[in-house]
């Protein structure tokens, strides 16, 4: 029997920051996302700017680009 494998993007969030993004099959993603600090970002990854180091606000359920400080001159 042929089973179509779906690939998912999941984000590991530590203290409100995306620590890593893993691309894996749907079965493994289901295991990972049972942890509240790991979330499925497949649709967001394709439609939003999202990457390691981005910040996640659980109240608004949105990801934000980290603010970087410019070096002093």
């Amino acid at each position: 029997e042929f089973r179509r494998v779906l690939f998912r993007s999941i984000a590991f969030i530590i203290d409100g920051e995306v620590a890593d993004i893993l691309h894996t099959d749907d079965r493994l993603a289901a295991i990972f996302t049972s942890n509240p600090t790991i979330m499925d970002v497949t649709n967001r990854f394709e439609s939003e700017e999202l990457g390691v180091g981005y910040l996640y606000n659980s109240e608004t359920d949105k990801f934000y680009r980290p603010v970087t400080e410019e070096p002093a001159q």
Side-chain angles (χ1 to χ4, degrees):
E1 176 183 323
F2 176 76
R3 182 181 184 281
R4 183 173 176 219
V5 177
L6 300 175
F7 286 93
R8 313 297 294 171
S9 298
I10 56 174
F12 295 82
I13 301 169
I14 299 173
D15 295 329
E17 182 178 333
V18 177
D20 201 359
I21 296 176
L22 174 69
H23 306 285
T24 187
D25 67 67
D26 58 340
R27 291 179 289 178
L28 189 55
I31 294 168
F32 277 124
T33 56
S34 64
N35 183 319
T37 61
I38 303 172
M39 63 189 303
D40 187 333
V41 294
T42 302
N43 296 335
R44 294 171 184 222
F45 193 75
E46 296 169 356
S47 65
E48 296 177 21
E49 208 173 329
L50 172 64
V52 174
Y54 275 62
L55 304 176
Y56 176 69
N57 183 322
S58 60
E59 291 179 12
T60 62
D61 191 32
K62 295 191 182 286
F63 290 91
Y64 299 93
R65 179 186 297 257
V67 177
T68 57
E69 294 183 24
E70 296 295 321
Q73 295 189 17

